[in-house]
């Protein structure tokens, strides 16, 4: 049996610029990608159904007993529902209320009864006016028994992803404890006596990690320090916090959880409620809050952003799915796509959406909405030429022993062609 995680164009667009070059299932949840959690909770093979330029090799057909699942669902809770409503039996599925961008009912999961072409499913998802109607029509001949359970267990907006992180970190700590058989008590590895801890939630220190002369507060949630990571002297950490493998928290950093990083990140200054994907740096003084930062981004010294309007009014964020601004709450900082960098002192305004592969610098604040491959200062933005962008990304990744793959380069060529 295999599990097929599906996404629609509108779902992907809701998470732009974060998903311009990756799947929704590649987004961080508690220190790991959503796809990782599906693999963690299931022994089945996991496939992702996505757009042509991102699609990896998949079987030509889904076989009876294979499960088709909304790719932005919360893996643990969705697995519980699958078992509760017997959706792991052939010909059984369920829908959830308001699962779509339009807040209409849509397919959440279904166990395939008869053989089904994966290309036909992808056609419904990406070449139809309404993906859910088209997918329901495709499945009509399979005589599926549908259930509509109560509950909200799917991810439909970036701000929801931020709200999930505390629970995600707790899930990561629980998973680590399960993997490390016999791990009990507050710490998994010895914590240097120069540190001070307060709170009842656990502190997990993975192999090779170093934490020196810091304050760790777990009253609001656990703290997990990844393999070979480093927390330098004078840092003040308030959980929940997940620091990815080989990542660094620099001296005197103040962190208010939930904060999550992928591997090879560098944190400094004052940070509150932020997700950093792999390889990103916000290593200097300056504030950043209520934001989601893509992979391989860099904030220059003193660079950061606002998460609260001076009027204390509702923040609006650009939504690519509706091609309009929508309200996201009283606090929201920025969405920043992969490979974007800000120069020394550059500040992002409240509710910013900064595209993939941007190079922003200078003291003038950029606009709230910045397109992919933008280069310049303030509102004076030009096109960041593709070959230069790829060269600079390669130079940045080389700092951390990483390189761009041929697939990543092909994806950037595709996106640049669409943008320009």
């Amino acid at each position: 049996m295999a599990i097929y995680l599906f996404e629609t164009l509108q779902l992907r667009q809701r998470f732009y610029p974060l998903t311009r070059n990756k799947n929704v299932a590649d987004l961080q949840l508690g220190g790991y990608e959503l796809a990782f959690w599906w693999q963690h909770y299931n022994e089945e093979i996991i496939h992702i159904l996505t757009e042509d330029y991102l699609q990896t090799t998949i079987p030509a057909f889904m076989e009876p007993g294979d499960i088709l699942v909304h790719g932005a669902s919360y893996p643990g809770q969705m697995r519980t529902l699958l078992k509760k409503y017997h959706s792991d039996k052939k010909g059984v599925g369920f829908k959830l209320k308001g699962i779509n961008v339009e807040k209409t009912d849509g397919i959440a999961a279904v166990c395939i009864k008869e053989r089904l072409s994966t290309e036909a499913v992808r056609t419904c998802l990406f070449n139809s006016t309404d993906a859910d109607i088209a997918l329901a029509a495709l499945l009509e001949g399979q005589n599926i028994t549908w259930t509509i359970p109560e509950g909200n267990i799917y991810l439909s907006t970036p701000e929801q992803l931020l709200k999930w992180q505390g629970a995600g970190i707790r899930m990561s700590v629980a998973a680590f404890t399960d993997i490390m058989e016999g791990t009990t008590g507050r710490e998994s590895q010895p914590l240097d006596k120069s540190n001070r801890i307060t709170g009842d939630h656990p502190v997990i220190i993975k192999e090779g990690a170093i934490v020196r002369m810091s304050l760790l507060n777990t009253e609001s949630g656990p703290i997990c320090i990844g393999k070979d990571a480093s927390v330098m002297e004078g840092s003040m950490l308030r959980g929940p916090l997940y620091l990815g493998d080989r990542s660094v928290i620099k001296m005197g950093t103040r962190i208010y959880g939930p904060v999550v990083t992928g591997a090879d990140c560098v944190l400094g200054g004052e940070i509150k409620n932020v997700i950093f994907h792999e390889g990103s740096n916000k290593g200097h003084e300056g504030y950043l809050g209520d934001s989601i930062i893509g992979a391989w981004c860099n904030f220059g010294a003193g660079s950061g952003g606002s998460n609260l309007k001076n009027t204390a009014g509702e923040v609006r964020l650009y939504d690519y799915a509706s091609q309009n601004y929508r309200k996201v709450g009283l606090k929201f900082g920025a969405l920043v796509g992969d490979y974007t960098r800000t120069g020394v002192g550059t500040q992002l305004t409240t509710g910013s959406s900064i595209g993939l592969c941007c190079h922003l610098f200078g003291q003038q604040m950029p606009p709230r909405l910045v397109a992919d491959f933008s280069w310049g200062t303030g509102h004076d933005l030009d096109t960041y030429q593709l070959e230069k962008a790829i060269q600079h990304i390669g130079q940045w990744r080389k700092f951390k022993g990483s390189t761009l793959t041929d697939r990543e380069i092909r994806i950037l060529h595709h996106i640049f062609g669409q943008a320009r």
Side-chain angles (χ1 to χ4, degrees):
M1 186 175 76
I3 292 176
Y4 289 78
L5 302 179
F6 73 89
E7 51 188 26
T8 66
L9 179 59
Q10 286 191 316
L11 176 67
R12 291 182 44 70
Q13 289 173 337
R14 175 136 290 181
F15 287 90
Y16 281 2
L18 299 170
T19 51
R20 287 292 282 129
N21 61 324
K22 57 176 172 260
N23 304 123
V24 174
D26 293 324
L27 296 175
Q28 281 277 353
L29 177 62
Y32 298 94
E33 293 83 7
L34 278 166
F36 166 87
W37 290 113
W38 275 103
Q39 196 66 69
H40 175 76
Y41 282 114
N42 300 278
E43 297 180 357
E44 295 84 1
I45 298 171
I46 307 296
H47 299 292
I48 296 175
L49 302 178
T50 186
E51 293 189 76
D52 288 344
Y53 73 98
L54 294 175
Q55 186 63 64
T56 55
T57 302
I58 55 174
F61 293 93
M62 295 180 65
E63 301 296 340
D66 288 347
I67 302 176
L68 184 64
V69 182
H70 192 283
S73 55
Y74 194 91
Q77 291 188 22
M78 180 63 83
R79 186 63 178 170
T80 299
L81 275 179
L82 284 169
K83 291 181 178 179
K84 179 179 179 181
Y85 290 95
H86 307 291
S87 293
D88 55 349
K89 295 183 178 179
K90 298 174 187 178
V92 177
F94 65 86
K95 300 180 180 181
L96 290 179
K97 295 178 180 179
I99 197 170
N100 304 310
V101 171
E102 302 87 353
K103 301 298 182 184
T104 57
D105 295 352
I107 293 171
V110 57
C111 189
I112 299 301
K113 191 174 183 180
E114 299 174 7
R115 205 177 201 215
L116 186 65
S117 163
T118 52
E119 190 57 35
V121 175
R122 291 181 64 245
T123 298
C124 293
L125 298 174
F126 296 103
N127 295 321
S128 305
T129 305
D130 189 310
D132 274 287
I133 291 176
L135 189 56
L138 181 66
L139 294 169
E140 198 170 277
Q142 301 218 9
N143 296 316
I144 305 295
T145 301
W146 295 103
T147 301
I148 302 181
E150 295 297 326
N152 181 359
I153 59 155
Y154 59 91
L155 182 65
S156 61
T157 63
E159 61 270 24
Q160 250 187 329
L161 184 61
L162 278 174
K163 290 178 181 178
W164 277 12
Q165 292 309 310
I169 293 168
R170 292 178 181 88
M171 193 163 63
S172 295
V173 168
F176 178 77
T177 303
D178 290 341
I179 292 167
M180 298 290 290
E181 293 181 7
T183 298
T184 58
R186 191 183 187 92
E187 303 149 10
S188 59
Q189 296 291 321
L191 186 64
D192 190 89
K193 293 181 180 179
S194 63
N195 298 287
R196 182 172 178 177
I197 304 174
T198 183
D200 295 326
H201 287 280
V203 174
I204 299 293
I205 308 295
K206 294 188 180 181
E207 182 181 358
I210 298 174
V211 185
R212 296 277 192 270
M213 298 178 67
S214 295
L215 302 179
L216 289 74
N217 185 326
T218 67
E219 292 173 350
S220 299
I223 292 174
C224 186
I225 308 299
K227 282 186 177 181
D228 300 316
S230 175
V231 179
M232 295 183 179
E233 300 83 350
S235 296
M236 293 181 282
L237 315 179
R238 178 179 285 270
L241 165 67
Y242 187 98
L243 183 68
D245 295 350
R246 301 178 302 280
S247 293
V248 176
I249 295 177
K250 297 175 73 174
M251 289 191 295
T253 300
R254 289 86 66 205
I255 288 181
Y256 307 83
V259 169
V260 169
T261 85
D264 300 302
C265 291
V266 179
L267 305 186
E270 184 179 5
I271 297 169
K272 173 238 172 190
N273 192 25
V274 180
I275 303 168
F276 295 91
H277 288 80
E278 177 188 11
S280 285
N281 307 321
K282 194 273 173 195
H284 303 285
E285 287 301 322
Y287 177 77
L288 186 66
D290 301 289
S291 300
I292 307 178
I293 311 303
W296 302 103
C297 296
N298 189 73
F299 287 76
S303 180
S306 165
N307 66 334
L308 177 67
K309 295 175 70 172
N310 280 346
T311 62
E314 190 100 14
V315 179
R316 296 193 311 147
L317 180 71
Y318 187 77
D319 181 88
Y320 283 87
S322 62
Q323 298 184 12
N324 205 344
Y325 287 87
R326 61 181 180 82
K327 294 179 179 179
V328 294
L330 294 179
K331 290 187 176 183
F332 197 92
L335 295 181
V336 180
D338 288 5
Y339 309 123
T340 283
R341 301 180 298 279
T342 63
V344 172
T346 301
Q347 300 295 324
L348 303 179
T349 192
T350 315
S352 289
S353 178
I354 311 297
L356 167 140
C357 285
C358 294
H359 184 185
L360 308 177
F361 49 88
Q363 301 303 304
Q364 296 181 45
M365 188 173 283
R368 270 198 298 168
L369 179 61
V370 176
D372 298 329
F373 293 98
S374 293
W375 167 297
T377 181
H379 287 250
D380 185 17
L381 300 176
D382 203 350
T383 299
Y384 194 174
Q385 294 303 317
L386 179 60
E387 297 308 319
K388 281 289 185 185
I390 290 174
Q391 176 190 344
H392 297 161
I393 292 166
Q395 290 168 182
W396 273 99
R397 290 184 65 158
K398 190 176 180 181
F399 276 134
K400 300 184 180 183
S402 176
T403 58
L404 274 167
T405 66
D406 290 341
R407 179 175 182 269
E408 288 171 328
I409 292 172
R410 286 197 301 271
I411 290 170
L412 291 177
H413 273 271
H414 175 87
I415 297 168
F416 186 84
Q418 282 189 325
R420 305 296 165 184

